[in-house]
Amino acid sequence: MSVSRPKRSLARRAVAFVKKLIQKHPVPDLPLPVPTATQAASRPDKKTILKHPAKKDFLKQIVPETIGDCPLPSFDPGIFHSELLDLKLYPEVDPNDPKNIKEPEGNVREGTYLGTHLALTEAYERVEQTFNSLFDVLGIEPTFPRYVALEHQRKTYQFTPYPNNADGTPAEFPPHLQHIPVDQNHTVFGVFNTAGLLETAVILQKLIPDEDGFLGRTKQWLLEQARAAAYGGEPEKGITIQDVEDYNRFHRKIGTDIASGGNIGLLDDWYSDRRFAEQQFTGTNPTTITQAGKLWIGEFLTAARIGGYNEWISALEAADPASLFVQDGSYFRNAVGVSDPTAALHHKQPGTDDNWCVGAVSLFQLYDDGKLHPVAICIDYRGSMEQSVTLFNKRLTPRDSTRTEKTDWPWRYAKTCAQVTDWIRHELTVHLTLAHLVEEAIIVGTNQSLPMEHPVYRLLSPHWYKTLSVNAAARATLVPQVIVDIVGISPEQCHSFIRHAYDTYDFVAHYVPNDLARRGFPNTAEGLSSSTRYRNYAYAKDVLALWTVLRSYVSEMLALSYPSDESVAQDRYIQSWCAEMRQGGAHMSSFPEIKDLNSLTDAITMCIHTATSFHSAVNYLQNFYQAFVIAKPPMLCTAPPTSLSVLQQFKEHDLVASLPINRQRQWLLSAQVPWLLSFRAPQDRSLLNYAASMWRVYKTKKGRREKMVAEASERLYARLRETQTTVWENSRAMEKGSLPYMVLDPGNTAVSILI
């Protein structure tokens, strides 16, 4: 009699099947990933989680005993919200007529320097949040991606009219996003726009006390310095430059920028020729110094003859013309719409003090050992050197004694004029227009022309993160509520200056190799490194290295979609894009006509460069160089002298009078602008993280194209990592005592214009 075997359970049969499969196809013995020593050291283990902190370490973290000494990096959001309500700093919407909105009636009459700084920071963050919310609702910068067809994109991303508004008046800004589509003005979006943007249009101004409304330690310090001067028998001397230096050492803002809160005023020689020249190569604006050429060499020789500077006449005539460079602000009057070349650039905004602007022209000589030396400064170019005031440096070479630099007040005043010129040029032209507004035109023009699935759209869009909302906030608040209060030109002239920068911008000429060559510098890595002459121009070396890396990546990515020049020329979307940028709403006639793969590669690289390396270079060092306001002020507080003899008699009190030292409101705003704009970019928004993210997303995908994207991303990561070392080496190669220049480290370089 046979006995039937019991059937094995389903689970046991499954296990047996898996064992048999493993025996037939053994799994390779792959080791688990091993963390690096640095990663392992930073990870908690059983010892660290059981370790009690030492008392001395714990006590270091305890807040100060006195509440007034407690550091306050920001206001609690709930407290700030309640205070805005108490102060009636909010618009009121009529529930029966949503289009009837009442402007906020409150106004801050008194406040401390610190409290106002914190309030402005919190308020500006809320302005940006307002636009973030609006753009999320409109699908312009959505929190989660939304695929829309090109037809819908064109309705959402519309350019504002340019160069004139619909009513025929001049547009304030270059063409940008019409963030409330014209056919939705009477919908809920229109109400949101009116109520929300009315608040943003006045909130910063209403938070800033009038000049006599400041309270607290900063106000007390000013009074004490004035009292000490009076009782010391020198009432005409007043506050000194040294007083401001001392105050800066102990009353700086909390460090949130790339320099951890440090600023140039902490250096004993911050005012020196060396630091002044250094900023032309590695400061906030290292992008405009240009070879002087015959015209400017001739102009400065004329000025030297007028002023009787015989030694400089001989030196300039003997100098190699290729060694002479200028920072040229001679175009300022033309740019702001002033036809009289001798007219003063002066403005007084209601509720503030008189401010002056100057269009200085500075001449430098670059020596073979890399030292850049300031030769002369025309403090305000008034059509010709005969009608202008030009001062020559008492130090003929960078090797001359520096013993009298600190008390050479006429020369320090001239350098201040040059810094005022560069402040305006940098903030309104280089930074705002050539980075933020040019990139916005690219974003809107691309959305008008390319569908979301287009390879160029896919390549560009990661570099647009938050740019449109940041720009909208700047147009609504930063320019009309802050900048106009602290410069020596009117709001209308500010807008004219910005439009002039956009209208004269040459897209192709600003490709990094073209730009360096155009300004008289070598445009290859070999050329910049072939001698010590360019050792201190770390910006040029770094930005060229990044351009090369980005262009290689763009080339690899485009090759996946465009096998030939003909395929580019036949892409109707690319041709539509060029037309939109050149003759369409972008009004950028210098944008290239793209007919081949090489020109497409250059154009895409430029779009990415503008959003990444260019913007990072001109943005993230602002707090270091400009928060110590007297080192680079946005305005002069007294009229500039109109004769050389008057300037040559200047003393310290004349320089002090020209600076906003006794103007708390304007000092605060002058320090607030670089503070707001210099917050360090988060690590997850860097170029390196972009490359790592691309690789991580594509590394496990199976398609041939996807594998090639992963490989290209891995190469991009490797090249960016190599560039980190290059940036460090370029910084170390500068002459001893130079300020380290690490802003273009790909780990710091932001992937988009997000601040």
Side-chain angles (χ1 to χ4, degrees):
M1 179 177 177
S2 62
V3 179
S4 61
R5 297 173 59 189
K7 291 184 178 181
R8 289 182 297 175
S9 69
L10 181 61
R12 291 178 65 189
R13 281 184 288 159
V15 170
F17 173 78
V18 171
K19 284 182 177 179
K20 189 174 181 180
L21 187 65
I22 290 175
Q23 290 169 358
K24 190 174 181 180
H25 303 284
V27 177
D29 185 18
L30 296 175
L32 289 171
V34 178
T36 64
T38 304
Q39 291 173 329
S42 65
R43 292 178 177 177
D45 56 27
K46 62 182 179 182
K47 290 184 179 180
T48 59
I49 63 175
L50 291 172
K51 185 178 180 180
H52 198 282
K55 185 176 182 180
K56 65 176 183 178
D57 295 331
F58 175 73
L59 292 178
K60 290 178 183 177
Q61 305 173 44
I62 291 182
V63 297
E65 181 178 351
T66 305
I67 193 170
D69 294 328
C70 179
L72 191 65
S74 63
F75 280 126
D76 175 89
I79 299 297
F80 185 74
H81 191 88
S82 297
E83 185 66 5
L84 291 180
L85 291 175
D86 287 346
L87 294 171
K88 296 185 177 180
L89 291 175
Y90 53 84
E92 294 185 44
V93 181
D94 186 340
N96 299 317
D97 182 6
K99 289 183 289 184
N100 183 17
I101 300 171
K102 182 181 177 184
E103 180 179 319
E105 61 180 87
N107 204 2
V108 175
R109 301 297 180 188
E110 293 183 337
T112 64
Y113 185 99
L114 175 61
T116 305
H117 152 63
L118 294 175
L120 285 173
T121 302
E122 181 71 24
Y124 193 71
E125 287 178 358
R126 294 189 178 210
V127 169
E128 289 192 336
Q129 290 169 12
T130 297
F131 285 101
N132 287 342
S133 300
L134 173 60
F135 285 11
D136 189 4
V137 170
L138 293 174
I140 293 169
E141 287 180 342
T143 303
F144 291 99
R146 305 170 196 171
Y147 176 82
V148 294
L150 181 57
E151 182 181 355
H152 182 72
Q153 280 177 235
R154 288 171 174 161
K155 292 180 179 179
T156 303
Y157 294 86
Q158 299 179 29
F159 276 112
T160 55
Y162 190 80
N164 295 317
N165 297 314
D167 61 3
T169 58
E172 291 185 344
F173 293 96
H176 57 276
L177 178 71
Q178 181 84 52
H179 52 258
I180 297 297
V182 292
D183 59 348
Q184 297 189 33
N185 282 339
H186 302 294
T187 67
V188 65
F189 299 134
V191 176
F192 181 97
N193 182 46
T194 308
L197 300 192
L198 176 61
E199 186 177 64
T200 65
V202 297
I203 186 65
L204 297 190
Q205 281 290 327
K206 288 180 173 289
L207 284 171
I208 307 167
D210 295 332
E211 182 63 31
D212 58 1
F214 277 92
L215 309 170
R217 285 184 291 185
T218 303
K219 178 74 169 186
Q220 190 62 33
W221 175 81
L222 286 168
L223 293 173
E224 288 295 330
Q225 296 304 316
R227 188 179 298 116
Y231 282 100
E234 297 181 287
E236 77 288 348
K237 186 175 180 181
I239 296 173
T240 67
I241 299 294
Q242 186 63 50
D243 291 330
V244 182
E245 291 178 15
D246 294 340
Y247 190 75
N248 177 63
R249 284 190 177 89
F250 304 107
H251 296 280
R252 295 188 311 282
K253 296 179 179 180
I254 297 165
T256 58
D257 62 322
I258 196 171
S260 303
N263 65 51
I264 195 172
L266 298 176
L267 299 177
D268 291 336
D269 66 340
W270 64 268
Y271 53 82
S272 67
D273 287 347
R274 177 184 181 174
R275 300 304 175 194
F276 174 61
E278 196 173 64
Q279 290 176 60
Q280 318 309 314
F281 278 172
T282 54
T284 54
N285 176 25
T287 70
T288 55
I289 185 167
T290 304
Q291 209 163 68
K294 290 183 180 180
L295 175 63
W296 280 118
I297 294 173
E299 285 277 66
F300 277 98
L301 276 169
T302 298
R305 294 186 182 104
I306 293 171
Y309 295 102
N310 295 326
E311 285 185 293
W312 273 117
I313 294 172
S314 300
L316 288 177
E317 288 177 339
D320 176 5
S323 72
L324 298 172
F325 290 82
V326 291
Q327 288 281 21
D328 179 8
S330 64
Y331 68 95
F332 270 32
R333 283 172 176 78
N334 177 53
V336 301
V338 174
S339 57
D340 181 356
T342 64
L345 295 177
H346 164 260
H347 179 64
K348 185 180 187 301
Q349 190 74 353
T352 65
D353 297 291
D354 290 279
N355 296 332
W356 283 263
C357 175
V358 288
V361 183
S362 305
L363 180 67
F364 298 86
Q365 185 167 12
L366 180 59
Y367 286 77
D368 288 340
D369 63 359
K371 288 183 171 63
L372 185 69
H373 185 63
V375 171
I377 299 171
C378 172
I379 65 169
D380 186 20
Y381 190 75
R382 294 153 55 92
S384 69
M385 286 301 191
E386 288 83 0
Q387 298 187 97
S388 307
V389 175
T390 302
L391 190 69
F392 279 75
N393 197 347
K394 292 178 180 177
R395 301 174 63 242
L396 264 72
T397 75
R399 294 177 294 278
D400 288 356
S401 171
T402 60
R403 185 171 51 85
T404 61
E405 270 194 302
K406 189 170 186 176
T407 55
D408 188 352
W409 302 112
W411 184 240
R412 287 185 65 171
Y413 177 86
K415 287 187 285 189
T416 299
C417 290
Q419 294 289 59
V420 169
T421 296
D422 196 61
W423 195 103
I424 295 281
R425 187 181 194 183
H426 166 256
E427 289 295 358
L428 295 185
T429 295
V430 175
H431 180 210
L432 176 60
T433 307
L434 304 192
H436 283 258
L437 301 184
V438 164
E439 189 66 21
E440 178 158 359
I442 291 166
I443 296 171
V444 179
T446 306
N447 276 281
Q448 276 284 314
S449 312
L450 306 181
M452 287 184 172
E453 64 272 18
H454 193 278
V456 169
Y457 189 101
R458 297 285 297 274
L459 194 53
L460 290 179
S461 58
H463 304 286
W464 302 339
Y465 179 77
K466 297 302 178 189
T467 300
L468 295 178
S469 53
V470 164
N471 286 2
R475 284 190 297 270
T477 57
L478 204 58
V479 174
Q481 297 184 55
V482 177
I483 299 294
V484 298
D485 265 15
I486 57 175
V487 295
I489 52 178
S490 69
E492 295 75 21
Q493 290 172 331
C494 283
H495 295 138
S496 176
F497 197 79
I498 292 167
R499 291 194 304 270
H500 178 272
Y502 188 86
D503 293 342
T504 57
Y505 175 67
D506 190 325
F507 187 86
V508 174
H510 278 78
Y511 293 176
V512 169
N514 297 350
D515 178 62
L516 289 173
R518 176 177 61 88
R519 294 190 289 112
F521 295 97
N523 64 353
T524 64
E526 295 75 21
L528 288 169
S529 303
S530 61
S531 71
T532 56
R533 171 171 280 201
Y534 306 106
R535 64 184 296 194
N536 292 324
Y537 202 4
Y539 164 78
K541 297 178 181 181
D542 293 353
V543 79
L544 182 61
L546 276 170
W547 173 274
T548 303
V549 169
L550 291 172
R551 194 182 188 283
S552 295
Y553 174 69
V554 169
S555 179
E556 291 181 43
M557 294 294 286
L558 290 176
L560 299 177
S561 302
Y562 297 99
S564 65
D565 290 341
E566 187 180 12
S567 61
V568 173
Q570 292 179 351
D571 186 335
R572 61 189 177 94
Y573 293 116
I574 292 295
Q575 303 313 314
S576 172
W577 185 44
C578 294
E580 181 66 25
M581 295 301 298
R582 289 172 59 80
Q583 296 95 25
H587 290 270
M588 191 181 292
S589 60
S590 62
F591 195 84
E593 294 187 73
I594 298 172
K595 301 296 183 181
D596 56 65
L597 189 54
N598 193 57
S599 59
L600 179 60
T601 302
D602 280 334
I604 301 304
T605 304
M606 182 62 184
C607 294
I608 297 174
H609 159 72
T610 302
T612 58
S613 42
F614 181 77
H615 177 259
S616 290
V618 301
N619 183 76
Y620 289 103
L621 290 176
Q622 290 179 95
N623 197 61
F624 181 83
Y625 285 105
Q626 294 172 207
F628 184 56
V629 177
I630 63 174
K632 193 166 189 175
M635 85 299 256
L636 293 173
C637 298
T638 55
T642 55
S643 74
L644 181 59
S645 59
V646 171
L647 174 57
Q648 289 172 328
Q649 298 303 311
F650 265 37
K651 305 297 182 186
E652 181 177 11
H653 62 83
D654 297 299
L655 177 59
V656 170
S658 73
L659 298 166
I661 291 174
N662 291 293
R663 299 182 180 184
Q664 284 196 82
R665 176 188 173 93
Q666 290 183 321
W667 182 287
L668 169 67
L669 292 176
S670 300
Q672 189 75 19
V673 170
W675 165 262
L676 286 173
L677 301 179
S678 295
F679 281 71
R680 181 192 291 266
Q683 282 192 332
D684 63 350
R685 293 290 178 264
S686 71
L687 274 177
L688 269 172
N689 190 70
Y690 164 79
S693 299
M694 281 288 287
W695 176 79
R696 185 74 61 178
V697 167
Y698 280 89
K699 71 168 186 169
T700 57
K701 294 187 177 183
K702 304 300 182 185
R704 178 176 175 274
R705 179 190 177 89
E706 286 73 15
K707 286 185 177 296
M708 293 177 73
V709 171
E711 291 167 1
S713 302
E714 188 171 9
R715 284 190 290 272
L716 173 62
Y717 180 86
R719 289 166 182 157
L720 288 172
R721 194 169 176 276
E722 289 173 7
T723 305
Q724 286 190 293
T725 303
T726 301
V727 168
W728 183 86
E729 290 173 345
N730 290 339
S731 183
R732 289 288 294 177
M734 294 190 294
E735 65 177 304
K736 186 178 179 180
S738 297
L739 287 160
Y741 189 74
M742 301 297 293
V743 71
L744 288 178
D745 169 0
N748 292 329
T749 303
V751 74
S752 66
I753 299 175
L754 45 80
I755 188 170

